Each structure stands twice: as structure tokens, then as C-alpha cells.
Amino acid sequence: MSVDLKTVAYERRLAVLEMVYRHKSGHIGGSMSCMDILASLYYRIMDVEKIKMWSPDRDRFVLSKGHCAEAYYSVLTGVGLLAVEELNTFTEFNTRLAEHPTYKIPGVEVATGALGHGVSLASGMAIGLKADQPNAHVYVLTGDGELAEGSVWEALISAAKYHLDNLTVIIDRNRLQISGNTEDVMPLDELSAKLSAFGMYCLEIDGHNYEAIEAALRLRVAGMPVALIANTIKGKGSSVMENIAAWHHQIPNEKEYLQIKRDLQCVLEEE
Amino acid sequence: MAMVSCRKAFTKKLLEQAKQNIKLYAVTTDSRGSVTLADFGKELPDRLIEFGIAEQNAVAAAAGLAKTGKNVFVSGPACFLAARAYEQIKVDVGYNKTNVKIIGVSAGVSYGPLGCTHTTMHDYAAMRALPNLRILAPSDDVQTAWLTEVLCDLEGPCYVRMGRGDVERIYEENEHFDLNKAKEVYKGNDAAIIACGEMVAPAVKAAELLRERGLQVRVLDCFSIKPLDEVSVLSALRETKAVVTVEEHSTLGGLGEAVAHVAVENGRCAPMKLMGLPEEVIIGKSKELFAHYGLTAEGIAKTLLGLLSYSISV
């Protein structure tokens, strides 16, 4: 019997809150915005058993927005790829769990954190898998602020050139980055048209609607890579943080921590 | 004497190996002409991945490709690969320990007439500070062919630097090399020349000139700049009276400083001179620039004699 995605996602959000609050580190806003996507990937789409066995035909996931590592770690513990106790070492001395994923963590394909690399890495994987693992699919999650990196667009045109229909690029479109609104920092308007012009099959979805996310992640278009613009809310789950740029990497104080915890628990208690 | 470019020796051997090994891939950045990969592209089109003029994407995608069990050779002009894609080499290749070989061709002042946008004075220095990366610079076509064959079976990241033009052959066919050992071209205890890449040929000639004057000069071909064969380097520092290093690179951060590092760390500061190039060179063909900056057999011999006279006088 499959688990309830909302329950999973909000339990994982609570784990993120604990990591960030206890260790005074992390990027909580983006971790909350991408959580429903991550939960869908690991609990609905990818075969985690194959990842555990590191099977050559496993699906691949690349967290291009590596700064949301705590969301990633909390999901990896949820599916049993990482021991829950290890979350206690987040950003501590000599840990594997840095604020950006290291390559030493079970289930992690590549270390990420320097923005603008993930789509290239994922497209290289997709080229390699097309040659000998036709059933494996590659998913990469990028931020929207990250799209100002030119290398992302280099990667997109090459993914289209090589007809990488085993690649899905997911954009966590929360519209906020460290300095403020993405449209003020570097406008991405007409993003869907831009992605389509670069050769993607582009779809825009509600990045907090589990049915929409799952359907979009299952979408395959012959000869074309898929780009999903997942419209999300930075800091999703608590009115303390939602849609406030400062929560890109703000650490909650005790009062904020307790309020965020209550907000997340309230969602869990909803029918 | 045979004259073949290292890049041609590399691509010939890579194609030969790739025909027998389906895990070998070539990645280019609109550089199949300059690297001489056209034959590879014709014979194994599915395994030559062309990313166009986009070095950052090419290197990161090569790392992704390598993550699926392939051994990926990314080739292009060193001036672009080692600068434009530096972060990708640092993170996706070095830090992630991916099975990627970065082949920087037409390095140093190969493109001298094209100006400083196209010279590569910094690659050894830049690559030395990155994690997990071997840095290699073969000196002739025989060594390049041997090295290419070794790299086709070697797991892990490497940066390999080659020039553009034809070079004089130094080694006999089937010469024996050891990846972890500098090649001693000449024995000798009066002085030593430690060189790499295409500076080994003038170093060898300098030793021959000095032999005519009765000096036995050791020549070490340090084709592996990192890891450096510290045992052979330290022996040269201990057993000879003066040491000259020669490289087609800035004297900052390259082979010379790597050798000086060994000297300092071991308390063996023999009279030593680092020969190389400034960070910005004047315009000229490589031969003209080597002559201008003293990177010739005569220039190396003269430098060594000066160093020896200093070492004798003190």
C-alpha cells in the first residue's frame, strides 16, 4: 500500500526544520518549496530498491540546486537510503552531510552546489544511458534563480540536439532568490516560451499538487527532453516563511521555530 | 628524425583503443579539427559527442556521461578548456572523481600569433590546486601514444596538456615508461635539467651541448606534473650541483614551483633556476617566442652554465 504523499512531504518538512534549527545552517525556503517534488520522485516515480542496489539501470536524480541539501537528506532518510541518526551530523565537523550534497552519501549520484552544472551533468548521464540502459530515466531539479547561469542554456540546447527523451528537467519556480524577486534580479518572464524555443517539451504545473507532479514526472515525449516549470511557494508550509525572500537561508529563532512547527503539524493533522 | 604532433599521436591511439573498447567516448567543443578527431567522428560517430563552442557544458556533461560507466576524453584548445570550464573541472571532474580525461591541445604558445586570448600560461598552476586530478604533459609522439593507451584503462580524472605543432621524437618506439616515475633521458651528476611537455626536446639538446664541454647533465622528463615523482626530483636535487627547470608555462605555479616545493620541503635548496614564460607574452610564432624567452637548447645550456659558475664561485 502506497504512502500518503502529503503526510510524507510534511513529515520531511518537519525533519528539515529540525536540521536547520538545531544546526543553525541550511536553506530552508527552497527546501520547503521543492519538497513535494522530491517526495513525489522518491515515493512515487523512482525505484528506490534499484538505487539501493546501485543497479546500472536505476533512474538518476541530480539536485542541481544543491543548496537544498537538507530537503534531499531528509527524503533519503525517509526512503531508507540514509540512516535517520546521520541527520544529527548535518554540517557538523567531518560529516558527510554538508550544506551541499557530497558524493560520499549513499544514493547521491554527484556532488552539487555550484549552480548551473546539474542540467549538463544530467544530460551527460542521459546520453550515456541511452546507449546501454534504455529504461533508465534522468531527473534534474534546478532553481529558477539558477537559470541566469548561461551553462544551463548550453545544456538545454545540447539535450534537444541529442533528443534526450530520457531526461526531465524540473524547475522549482518559487520566484524568489537570495536578493529578492527573480524577475527583479534577472527576469525569466516567458520562461515556458524560452524553454520551448530551446527544444524542450515544456509543461507548467502546480508544484504542490501531488497528482499534477506525478503525472508530469511520468510524461515522456518521443525525441524530446521534458522541462517542467513547477510553480511553487518559497517556504511552503508555514505563514512565517511563505513568499519571503529572506527565508532563502534565514535561520528561525525559537519563536519562529515553534510557529513553523505548529504550522507544519497542522497540515499533517488536516483530514 | 620523425616529426609528429602529440595531438595526432593521441587521436590515432584513442581511435585504435575505442574500436576495441565501447566505454571510450570522445567529447568535443567544435574542436574535432584542431584536436584531429575527424577520423574518430567518421568511424565511431555514436561515440563522438559534439557540444559546440560550450566548454562548460561539455566538461560537466562529460562528467555525467562518465557517471554511467564510460571513460570520457574531452578535447579542445587548452586555453579555453582550462579557463572557461575551470569550475566544471574543479567540481564535476576533480571533486566528484569522475572518469574524465581533459585533453588540452595547442597549449602554451602554440597559438602565439593569435594573441594572449589563445595562450595557455596558467593551466599547470590552475590544475595543481584542484583535488584528485593527475596533470600530465607528454613530450613526444611516442610518449603520447603510450600515455593515451594507459589513460584508456585508467580510472579517474586527468588533465593532459599537448602542443599543436609537430615535435621531434625523443624516444624509441616501444620505450618503457612508468606513469608514476619521471623518465630519465640522460644520466649525469654535474647538473640536472627537469622539463616537461615540449620543453623536453630542447632540454635534451642542451644536455648534449654541455656534454661537449665535458659536463654530464641529468635530464628528467617529468611528464607527470601531479603527482610529481618526488624521489627522482629529490635525487636530482641531492646528487647534482645545480638544477634548471624548463616549462612552456608561467614560472608561477607550474613544474618549476612544484620542484622548488620538493626542494624546500626537504631542506635541499640547490642552486636552481626556473625557466618558463611570463604570464603575458609578446606576439610571435612559438619558435620565435622560445628564442626570445631563452627556451632553446642554447638558452637552457647558458642558464645552467651561469648557475654552475655561481655555485662554484660560492
Side-chain angles (χ1 to χ4, degrees), chain B residues 117-268:
Chain B
T117 52
H118 283 61
T119 56
T120 318
M121 298 301 147
H122 70 285
D123 53 343
Y124 299 153
M127 299 302 153
R128 277 180 69 212
L130 299 186
N132 308 317
L133 203 66
R134 279 182 188 271
I135 305 170
L136 303 153
S139 54
D140 78 350
D141 65 309
V142 173
Q143 196 181 58
T144 303
W146 162 79
L147 184 62
T148 304
E149 193 167 345
V150 168
L151 296 186
C152 286
D153 289 320
L154 185 80
E155 183 79 23
C158 299
Y159 174 81
V160 187
R161 184 225 244 214
M162 296 171 200
R164 179 175 178 79
D166 292 344
V167 290
E168 286 181 25
R169 184 172 284 176
I170 297 163
Y171 300 108
E172 301 286 330
E173 297 266 11
N174 303 318
E175 179 78 52
H176 174 75
F177 301 103
D178 180 338
L179 186 61
N180 298 310
K181 200 146 176 53
K183 181 73 183 173
E184 192 176 75
V185 188
Y186 281 132
K187 293 185 184 303
N189 287 337
D190 290 324
I193 306 171
I194 301 177
C196 64
E198 295 181 20
M199 286 296 105
V200 176
V204 167
K205 282 191 179 164
E208 288 164 355
L209 287 175
L210 292 166
R211 193 190 301 152
E212 290 167 13
R213 300 180 62 141
L215 289 169
Q216 301 303 315
V217 176
R218 187 180 303 187
V219 177
L220 281 186
D221 175 354
C222 272
F223 60 88
S224 176
I225 294 144
K226 186 184 175 185
L228 188 69
D229 173 9
E230 294 195 8
V231 173
S232 297
V233 166
L234 195 54
S235 297
L237 288 161
R238 282 190 173 136
E239 295 162 8
T240 70
K241 298 182 193 76
V243 172
V244 166
T245 62
V246 199
E247 60 198 307
E248 189 183 343
H249 183 277
S250 161
T251 48
L252 300 177
L255 174 69
E257 282 198 355
V259 169
H261 181 91
V262 174
V264 171
E265 287 282 311
N266 290 280
R268 177 61 201 174

Side-chain angles (χ1 to χ4, degrees), chain B residues 64-121:
Chain B
L65 184 54
K67 275 284 174 185
T68 64
K70 317 296 192 288
N71 187 0
V72 187
F73 287 72
V74 187
S75 317
C79 55
F80 307 131
L81 277 180
R84 190 61 160 269
Y86 190 55
E87 188 181 81
Q88 282 75 12
I89 298 174
K90 173 195 164 195
V91 177
D92 305 325
V93 178
Y95 179 37
N96 272 302
K97 291 189 189 171
T98 47
N99 201 11
V100 174
K101 314 295 183 283
I102 306 287
I103 314 293
V105 303
S106 305
V109 290
S110 298
Y111 282 144
L114 280 68
C116 259
T117 52
H118 283 61
T119 56
T120 318
M121 298 301 147

Side-chain angles (χ1 to χ4, degrees), chain A residues 102-103 109-111 114 117 120-121 124-125 127-129 131-132 151 154-155 158 161-162, chain B residues 25 49-51 54 56-57 60-61 63-65 67-68 70 87-88 91-92 95-97:
Chain A
T102 65
Y103 65 93
E109 301 283 347
V110 278
H117 294 221
S120 299
L121 286 161
M125 290 176 187
I127 290 171
L129 294 171
D132 45 28
S151 54
E154 293 180 6
S158 66
K161 175 193 171 184
Y162 285 103
Chain B
Y25 276 68
I49 314 295
E50 173 65 78
F51 284 109
Q56 299 178 71
N57 181 45
L65 184 54
K67 275 284 174 185
T68 64
K70 317 296 192 288
E87 188 181 81
Q88 282 75 12
V91 177
D92 305 325
Y95 179 37
N96 272 302
K97 291 189 189 171

Side-chain angles (χ1 to χ4, degrees), chain A residues 93-110:
Chain A
F93 178 72
N94 208 21
T95 181
R96 294 193 290 191
L97 305 188
E99 217 168 303
H100 299 88
T102 65
Y103 65 93
K104 296 171 183 169
I105 302 163
V108 172
E109 301 283 347
V110 278

Side-chain angles (χ1 to χ4, degrees), chain A:
Chain A
M1 191 176 141
S2 67
V3 292
D4 174 59
L5 268 187
K6 189 172 105 178
T7 305
V8 164
Y10 279 83
E11 282 174 354
R12 298 298 95 212
R13 280 186 171 94
L14 279 165
V16 166
L17 174 67
E18 292 302 319
M19 289 165 80
V20 170
Y21 182 64
R22 283 190 200 170
H23 301 278
K24 308 295 177 213
S25 297
H27 293 78
I28 193 167
S31 289
M32 297 300 183
S33 69
C34 71
M35 183 56 86
D36 296 317
I37 298 160
L38 284 177
S40 301
L41 267 172
Y42 278 87
Y43 285 84
R44 286 283 189 274
I45 303 292
M46 299 198 296
D47 184 340
V48 172
E49 289 310 308
K50 281 187 180 174
I51 298 173
K52 282 180 185 167
M53 291 185 295
W54 217 238
S55 170
D57 67 343
R58 68 189 181 280
D59 288 338
R60 267 67 166 182
F61 172 68
V62 177
L63 182 71
S64 192
K65 47 177 294 182
H67 53 282
C68 293
E70 61 268 33
Y72 194 15
Y73 300 156
S74 74
V75 170
L76 291 178
T77 58
V79 295
L81 278 157
L82 193 63
V84 179
E85 308 80 58
E86 197 165 341
L87 295 185
N88 296 328
T89 72
F90 178 57
T91 69
E92 298 297 326
F93 178 72
N94 208 21
T95 181
R96 294 193 290 191
L97 305 188
E99 217 168 303
H100 299 88
T102 65
Y103 65 93
K104 296 171 183 169
I105 302 163
V108 172
E109 301 283 347
V110 278
T112 50
L115 297 175
H117 294 221
V119 182
S120 299
L121 286 161
S123 62
M125 290 176 187
I127 290 171
L129 294 171
K130 250 184 179 286
D132 45 28
Q133 299 294 344
N135 296 321
H137 198 86
V138 186
Y139 302 90
V140 53
L141 178 65
T142 78
D144 50 0
E146 181 177 357
L147 299 185
E149 291 281 8
S151 54
V152 177
W153 301 91
E154 293 180 6
L156 293 172
I157 50 171
S158 66
K161 175 193 171 184
Y162 285 103
H163 305 290
L164 300 180
D165 47 15
N166 56 346
L167 174 69
T168 300
V169 179
I170 310 150
I171 296 149
D172 181 9
R173 184 75 169 115
N174 60 34
R175 293 184 173 263
L176 292 173
Q177 59 191 105
I178 199 164
S179 307
N181 192 301
T182 54
E183 303 314 288
D184 296 330
V185 178
M186 185 51 66
L188 289 169
D189 239 353
E190 306 295 331
L191 181 56
S192 178
K194 284 174 182 159
L195 292 165
S196 299
F198 272 66
M200 305 291 108
Y201 184 91
C202 187
L203 194 66
E204 199 158 345
I205 58 166
D206 174 351
H208 299 302
N209 179 316
Y210 302 107
E211 289 76 24
I213 297 169
E214 186 175 344
L217 290 173
R218 291 194 191 284
L219 179 68
R220 304 287 182 263
V221 181
M224 288 178 86
V226 171
L228 304 178
I229 302 172
N231 290 311
T232 59
I233 295 167
K234 198 147 189 164
K236 173 74 177 173
S238 170
S239 57
V240 175
M241 303 183 290
E242 284 188 1
N243 283 324
I244 301 169
W247 285 97
H248 179 79
H249 64 165
Q250 190 163 313
I251 307 299
N253 60 31
E254 189 183 359
K255 190 179 161 202
E256 289 163 337
Y257 161 75
L258 292 171
Q259 183 60 48
I260 295 167
K261 195 170 178 174
R262 269 196 299 277
D263 288 346
L264 295 174
Q265 282 168 337
C266 267
V267 181
L268 275 172
E269 286 157 14
E270 285 169 5
E271 278 301 310

